[in-house]
Amino acid sequence: MKSIFWKSLYLGKKSILWLVYLIFAFYIGHLVFTVPAFGTKVIFGSIGIIVLSIVLLFEYLKNSYEKMIYALTIECDLTKAKQRKLDLQKKDLFNGFKQSIIIFDSLLLLDEGKYQECLTHLERHQRFFHGTLDYLFIYYHTQMYCHYFLKDQKNLHISLEHLTKLQSANKKQMRGLFSWHEIIGINYLYQNRNQKCLQELELINQNKLNNRELTYLLYVKGQCLLKLEQKSEGYRLLKEAKVLGNTLAITQVM
């Protein structure tokens, strides 16, 4: 059901965008056919062709990028996501999506269960991730999950401390990339305060999450419930996460 919603939203946005491009093309065509001077026709026509060519090329690459993101976050299909990433890189002659690929690779490595490789990737591009608060948020949030799955409590604590410091930053400088309730919940889980963990996770609005995010939430929530000896509900959530998460590595450890 969520997949249908996200797909409908995606198609709706694309339809509006292509309608704008079509209107622009008709407007340029109207100018070319209505102006009397031949030289002016050539100028308007040339400008229109150049602008549309650049816009359509960017739109093509952007569309490829969005399909790549969709494969990872909605379909949770790692094979398709990696293939679409390779296709984008081949066609992105000017490396316009290079930075986006760096972020994507951090998520992909986490989802593949390559936690140590993911941490290495984050450190290799540390300067890039420290460029904005949003990127830094992604950096520490991804680190948090890597250390959580590696059962590295010392470094998990450090990542959680960094995220807590970001929480006090100017909210106008940060987008709502992740839920603070999720981060606080994992912090409680790390402290073995399982009831507090569950209370925080219950505050998350699941309707705002894509399938990838929801898979991780259900997994953590399931683990929390198992620790509270609520095994029936815990296993139910883990089973739901396994179906929703498709090929994500997290579904293989349930």
Side-chain angles (χ1 to χ4, degrees):
M1 193 68 182
K2 283 179 70 67
S3 179
I4 296 174
F5 168 77
W6 286 106
K7 197 164 187 176
S8 299
L9 184 64
Y10 171 79
L11 291 174
K13 287 182 177 180
K14 299 307 292 183
S15 297
I16 293 172
L17 194 59
W18 281 106
L19 180 60
V20 172
Y21 294 153
L22 190 61
I23 292 172
F24 176 77
F26 274 118
Y27 177 69
I28 292 297
H30 172 73
L31 289 178
V32 170
F33 284 107
T34 55
V35 294
F38 178 76
T40 307
K41 289 179 184 286
V42 172
I43 292 173
F44 281 142
S46 299
I47 292 174
I49 290 172
I50 292 171
V51 171
L52 280 175
S53 296
I54 294 172
V55 167
L56 291 176
L57 174 60
F58 174 75
E59 188 60 34
Y60 176 79
L61 293 173
K62 184 181 175 184
N63 186 55
S64 298
Y65 171 76
E66 289 174 348
K67 285 182 177 179
M68 176 184 78
I69 295 297
Y70 187 88
L72 184 68
T73 61
I74 307 301
E75 298 177 314
C76 297
D77 189 327
L78 296 179
T79 301
K80 185 183 290 187
K82 286 190 286 186
Q83 184 57 55
R84 287 183 170 170
K85 185 192 86 166
L86 292 175
D87 291 342
L88 174 62
Q89 287 177 309
K90 288 177 183 177
K91 295 162 185 173
D92 186 17
L93 303 177
F94 302 103
N95 290 324
F97 287 84
K98 183 179 180 180
Q99 294 184 341
S100 298
I101 292 294
I102 292 174
I103 296 173
F104 179 81
D105 280 342
S106 66
L107 303 181
L108 182 63
L109 287 168
L110 171 63
D111 292 346
E112 288 181 305
K114 299 177 180 178
Y115 307 122
Q116 200 57 59
E117 284 186 45
C118 184
L119 290 170
T120 301
H121 171 79
L122 292 171
E123 289 306 306
R124 186 185 307 122
H125 298 286
Q126 185 180 38
R127 186 174 179 179
F128 162 74
F129 281 105
H130 281 68
T132 70
L133 283 176
D134 283 340
Y135 293 167
L136 195 58
F137 196 6
I138 295 171
Y139 177 83
Y140 288 123
H141 187 271
T142 308
Q143 266 194 354
M144 175 190 73
Y145 266 117
C146 286
H147 294 315
Y148 171 76
F149 288 117
L150 288 170
K151 303 186 187 304
D152 184 346
Q153 293 197 354
K154 178 182 176 181
N155 284 310
L156 172 60
H157 177 67
I158 292 172
S159 295
L160 286 167
E161 281 188 331
H162 283 300
L163 286 167
T164 301
K165 290 177 182 177
L166 285 178
Q167 188 177 11
S168 61
N170 188 342
K171 300 297 188 298
K172 292 181 179 178
Q173 299 179 40
M174 298 177 65
R175 291 175 291 170
L177 296 172
F178 304 103
S179 169
W180 290 112
H181 295 300
E182 173 204 25
I183 295 164
I184 295 170
I186 290 178
N187 196 12
Y188 280 136
L189 188 64
Y190 154 74
Q191 296 170 1
N192 212 31
R193 298 168 67 183
N194 302 309
Q195 191 61 50
K196 294 287 289 183
C197 168
L198 188 61
Q199 289 173 0
E200 284 294 329
L201 298 181
E202 289 286 359
L203 295 174
I204 299 173
N205 184 355
Q206 296 188 11
N207 292 325
K208 292 185 177 181
L209 305 181
N210 59 47
N211 291 342
R212 176 185 181 273
E213 293 167 336
L214 186 54
T215 298
Y216 280 89
L217 172 62
L218 292 174
Y219 175 84
V220 175
K221 204 171 179 180
Q223 294 299 327
C224 185
L225 286 165
L226 291 180
K227 287 188 175 185
L228 290 168
E229 295 299 320
Q230 299 181 35
K231 295 187 177 181
S232 178
E233 179 65 7
Y235 284 124
R236 185 190 71 78
L237 291 185
L238 291 178
K239 184 178 180 180
E240 185 180 342
K242 190 178 183 68
V243 174
L244 193 65
N246 196 8
T247 66
L248 301 185
I250 191 174
T251 66
Q252 307 305 314
V253 294
M254 298 179 187

